[in-house]
Amino acid sequence: MYHDSQIAQLLHDEHLRTIDLMNRLEEATSGRRAKSAPADDDTAAKLLLADLHAELQGTAEHHFSFEEENIFPALMAIGDVGIPTILRQEHALLRNVSETLLPLVERAREGGFTEPDWLEFRDLALDLVERHITHIQKEEMGLLPALSSLFDAEAASELVIRYAEK
Amino acid sequence: MTAGTATFLGSASERLLPPGIVFRFFGTAVIFHAVAWAVVAMHGEQLSEYRGGSGPILAALHLVTLGVFTMTAMGASLQLLPVATLQGFAAPGAISALWWLFTAGTICLTVGMYWNSYQAMILGGGAVTLSVVFYLCLLVGNLRQGGAMAVVVAHGRLAAFFLVVLLVLGLALIINQRTGMLADSQRAGISHMLLAAYGFMGLLAMGFSYVLIPMFALAPNPPDRWALLALICICVGLALGVTGTWLGRDAWAAVGGGLGLLGGAVHVALMVLTLRRRMRKRLGPAFTLIRLSWALFLLSLLLGTAWTIDLSGDWGPAMFGLALLGWLLSLLLAILQRIVPFLASMHAAANLKRRPPTVTALTAPGPLAIHLCCHCGALALLALGILLNLPLLVKLGAVLGLAGALAFVWFFYLAMAKFRTALSPLTP
């Protein structure tokens, strides 16, 4: 999707990156192959765990806090309260799932999955995937199209710089 | 402004309606869907020969077009348009009143059609007209403010225009039963049906598809210029089709059908292309219904064009009507099974005390699988019954459709029950 606003385009590109990761995570944790934990020398699984670790450790948080500090207040200032409130709630939930998932990912990166760890990881990962995907769907439909009317080109450029600096 | 008035009018900038109002529209549509199949199951023998006039078939037709299509379109547009156009409708209380009037009007009108009661038809038709005019005011007002999605806005405006024309024609058809003021009520009836299916519902369905399909599939929006080309072809085709039908000029209607087919093909090609570019790999069973609806959309245009040049047999009109209703019904039920859990999960997220259920947790796969099988089976049996002129097959198809509709009611009930649980306070 092409967005008129620079900041909308930036957030959209971030969404695409997250969707790609969530697709890989879903692929690895559902279906027949997900019945047992991946082997310790599975390079695709190692790469996925590394990317997921980076996402849980800070990438998603950067995206969420940027929206909460810069986008949602601007929407609420014009009286649009419902959608920012819901999106903020979803951020809190995603943070919560991420915090539970992170120690499992760290343990798995150090010494592979034990059977109970894998089962817990699989359930949490699928929960994270679904919540992330539906959250992105809401932002793509209800948030990003609003940004071009919410911020002029200059303000959008400043936000892009702020996003990169943070 | 008093507190009561403020509550009634809501906030002009608020884009989310209270969930109770939106789900009321969808729940009513789901019930009307089951009632429509029940009426066809009872009177299916009249379907193949039906060429217009009041009675159970006309009642069933309006239970679907008003009770299911328009009711769903109202609920979906009142909730989704503000999100897409970035402007709130600002009137939860008024929207609630709209639901009451439209529901009562639809019941009164269809009961009048079923029992051939002119007074009930006039009363119901009047209430439906009043509520639809009010809905139009809301719709046009919202579209006027929303420049963010030009393609959706263009479809919405033209759908609103066709809605006015079909409404006038619909009222004229009711009054004609007493006065005989229309020279050819059958042709007027067909024009009314074309305007309703392709003009109002079809354009709304196409417009929303450009937003909803990319959203659910996480795909790029199709290019505006191609979407507008499809829109122009459909509208010019419809204008020619209706004028040709009205004036008895079959060649005009045939050209209109051809143009419509071209527009429909462009629209379906855009949708297929959108799905090919999607990032979400797993689309779910709703997309089986959506793909079926695209096939039926094109089939309806083919059958309609064939009918205008006398290429279809005696079964032509009934098969055309079946493809037309099958297209919109398949699409709307697919959209409903995606947006009901989606909106419920969205509103449940507002509850701070409980972890909101995911969309998957709110979607009962069993009832939806039953519905999918019954829906496809019902359409196939109805088509066979019409082609072979076997009323028993038509009735069997309608019974299967009713079973599917009840499974859909079950799905809706389960989604709402889980949603209520998610909103309820935690017990200590």
Side-chain angles (χ1 to χ4, degrees):
Chain A
M1 186 191 285
Y2 171 76
H3 289 282
D4 292 340
S5 156
Q6 275 188 66
I7 189 63
Q9 190 61 43
L10 176 73
L11 294 174
H12 172 69
D13 293 342
E14 283 280 293
H15 286 161
L16 293 185
R17 192 193 47 73
T18 309
I19 293 165
D20 181 52
L21 177 62
M22 292 301 123
N23 276 337
R24 286 165 56 208
L25 187 58
E26 189 179 36
E27 194 77 19
T29 52
S30 54
R32 271 189 208 159
R33 58 188 289 187
K35 280 184 181 160
S36 54
D40 290 348
D41 59 348
D42 186 331
T43 45
K46 279 184 179 171
L47 189 62
L48 173 64
L49 283 174
D51 290 346
L52 183 61
H53 187 253
E55 178 78 10
L56 298 178
Q57 231 186 6
T59 316
E61 178 54 37
H62 175 55
H63 185 94
F64 293 165
S65 55
F66 175 81
E67 287 175 348
E68 286 166 8
E69 288 162 20
N70 300 285
I71 312 288
F72 298 166
L75 273 174
M76 290 172 103
I78 58 162
D80 192 352
V81 178
I83 287 179
T85 305
I86 284 168
L87 295 177
R88 195 185 285 270
Q89 273 301 103
E90 290 187 346
H91 285 175
L93 259 168
L94 285 165
R95 282 184 179 112
N96 186 266
V97 180
S98 301
E99 278 166 17
T100 321
L101 196 57
L102 189 59
L104 282 170
V105 174
E106 283 171 346
R107 279 210 298 275
R109 290 188 75 199
E110 281 164 17
F113 283 107
T114 62
E115 204 54 37
D117 272 1
W118 170 249
L119 293 178
E120 194 185 351
F121 172 82
R122 203 181 56 183
D123 291 347
L124 280 169
L126 287 174
D127 193 39
L128 182 79
V129 168
E130 182 163 8
R131 290 191 191 278
H132 243 312
I133 295 282
T134 48
H135 177 70
I136 289 172
Q137 285 171 331
K138 282 164 206 159
E139 289 202 346
E140 286 284 322
M141 189 180 173
L143 183 71
L144 302 196
L147 300 187
S148 58
S149 53
L150 207 56
F151 303 107
D152 60 25
E154 196 180 336
S157 297
E158 276 175 26
L159 285 174
V160 171
I161 293 166
R162 201 177 300 170
Y163 192 89
E165 281 173 350
K166 222 177 157 185
Chain B
M1 193 186 289
T2 65
T5 318
T7 310
F8 186 76
L9 294 177
S11 151
S13 307
E14 190 55 75
R15 291 185 280 155
L16 279 180
L17 282 173
I21 293 181
V22 184
F23 292 133
R24 201 183 296 172
F25 281 92
F26 295 154
T28 313
V30 166
I31 291 168
F32 275 132
H33 175 218
V35 178
W37 277 119
V39 173
V40 181
M42 285 190 294
H43 303 279
E45 73 282 354
Q46 299 176 24
L47 191 73
S48 300
E49 306 298 320
Y50 182 70
R51 296 289 183 274
S54 55
I57 298 299
L58 190 70
L61 194 64
H62 284 81
L63 279 166
V64 175
T65 53
L66 291 175
V68 185
F69 297 167
T70 312
M71 190 71 79
T72 306
M74 280 181 174
S77 58
L78 291 169
Q79 179 55 92
L80 296 177
L81 261 184
V83 177
T85 62
L86 316 176
Q87 298 292 330
F89 273 110
I95 290 169
S96 181
L98 166 72
W99 175 81
W100 278 105
L101 188 63
F102 185 67
T103 303
T106 303
I107 292 170
C108 190
L109 179 69
T110 50
V111 165
M113 286 169 168
Y114 187 91
W115 296 110
N116 201 10
S117 160
Y118 180 74
Q119 284 80 6
M121 276 192 273
I122 278 288
L123 195 66
V128 165
T129 305
L130 207 61
S131 48
V132 168
V133 166
F134 177 50
Y135 164 68
L136 266 175
C137 295
L138 292 176
L139 185 70
V140 172
N142 185 270
L143 291 172
R144 197 187 302 139
Q145 294 165 322
M149 296 205 177
V151 171
V152 183
V153 171
H155 281 78
R157 281 186 180 149
L158 285 161
F161 166 74
F162 286 119
L163 181 56
V164 172
V165 184
L166 87 92
L167 212 57
V168 172
L169 201 50
L171 274 180
L173 278 163
I174 295 175
I175 296 166
N176 183 62
Q177 295 202 356
R178 276 287 163 89
T179 60
M181 65 182 193
L182 294 170
D184 189 335
S185 64
Q186 198 180 12
R187 286 183 178 279
I190 295 167
S191 303
H192 175 71
M193 181 182 74
L194 292 175
L195 288 164
Y198 294 116
F200 171 55
M201 275 313 308
L203 291 189
L204 274 190
M206 283 170 68
F208 275 119
S209 292
Y210 293 125
V211 179
L212 291 175
I213 302 295
M215 186 188 82
F216 288 131
L218 288 171
N221 289 88
D224 282 6
R225 60 181 186 281
W226 286 101
L228 290 172
L229 174 73
L231 176 66
I232 291 167
C233 288
I234 290 279
C235 289
V236 176
L238 180 61
L240 271 173
V242 169
T243 315
T245 304
W246 188 271
L247 300 175
R249 293 186 184 265
D250 293 343
W252 293 16
V255 174
L259 261 177
L261 189 57
L262 180 66
V266 173
H267 172 73
V268 172
L270 286 175
M271 291 289 97
V272 172
L273 200 65
T274 301
L275 287 193
R276 281 201 187 145
R277 291 176 177 168
R278 73 184 190 270
M279 289 207 67
R280 186 81 184 120
K281 287 179 185 165
R282 296 173 187 201
L283 292 174
F287 274 80
T288 308
L289 275 180
I290 289 174
R291 288 190 175 103
L292 171 69
S293 80
W294 293 337
L296 289 171
F297 176 32
L298 296 181
L299 181 67
S300 77
L301 288 159
L302 262 177
L303 287 170
T305 310
W307 184 21
T308 60
I309 47 177
D310 289 331
L311 274 182
S312 59
D314 289 342
W315 45 263
M319 281 298 285
F320 169 60
L322 180 65
L324 206 57
L325 294 179
W327 156 45
L328 290 168
L329 201 55
S330 305
L331 183 67
L332 287 185
L333 292 172
I335 296 293
L336 264 182
Q337 64 183 262
R338 290 300 299 256
I339 61 172
V340 166
F342 184 80
L343 287 174
S345 129
M346 190 163 167
H347 283 288
N351 186 355
L352 303 174
K353 291 174 186 153
R354 221 183 252 271
R355 172 180 282 207
T358 58
V359 172
T360 304
L362 289 164
T363 308
L368 287 181
I370 295 171
H371 168 259
L372 179 65
C373 293
C374 291
H375 179 82
C376 296
L379 290 180
L381 280 177
L382 251 66
L384 265 181
I386 292 167
L387 285 172
L388 304 174
N389 198 17
L390 287 174
L392 184 66
L393 275 186
V394 173
K395 284 195 164 199
L396 273 176
V399 170
L400 205 56
L402 176 60
L406 292 175
F408 207 92
V409 172
W410 182 21
F411 149 78
F412 186 81
Y413 168 76
L414 289 177
M416 288 300 98
K418 286 176 188 166
F419 173 60
R420 277 174 201 278
T421 308
L423 286 186
S424 64
L426 283 172
T427 44

